Amino acid sequence: MDIVEKALEFEQRKHSFKTTSERILASREVKELILGVNEVYKRDRDAKLMELMKRLTVIKQKIEKRLKGKPLVA
């Protein structure tokens, strides 16, 4: 399966990660996908690939925000 196809499939998947380990695995997977798409982008310079990377980055940020949790207030 092509890296771009994998990225599009990940983007369409339901993102309800119940456990911390699921969130960690999803964060690692999306990071791998972003880096893979970036390698293709370096060769092709296709604007659609850049948009895909941006959308994946938003998903990754949401996952990582949920991983960090709420800050403790003194």
Side-chain angles (χ1 to χ4, degrees), residues 51-66:
E51 292 302 316
L52 176 61
M53 285 191 295
K54 287 179 183 178
R55 293 191 309 264
L56 289 174
T57 301
V58 168
I59 293 170
K60 182 175 182 292
Q61 287 172 344
K62 287 179 182 178
I63 294 169
E64 289 181 347
K65 184 177 182 181
R66 179 74 173 97

Side-chain angles (χ1 to χ4, degrees), residues 15-63:
H15 298 112
S16 63
F17 308 110
K18 305 258 185 259
T19 64
T20 302
S21 61
E22 288 177 351
R23 289 184 200 105
I24 291 170
L25 291 175
S27 177
R28 289 178 183 167
E29 181 182 357
V30 74
K31 179 180 179 182
E32 227 175 86
L33 291 171
I34 291 169
L35 293 175
V37 172
N38 189 32
E39 290 300 316
V40 175
Y41 176 77
K42 285 179 184 178
R43 282 184 268 130
D44 298 345
R45 297 289 181 193
D46 186 8
K48 291 180 182 177
L49 293 176
M50 179 58 76
E51 292 302 316
L52 176 61
M53 285 191 295
K54 287 179 183 178
R55 293 191 309 264
L56 289 174
T57 301
V58 168
I59 293 170
K60 182 175 182 292
Q61 287 172 344
K62 287 179 182 178
I63 294 169

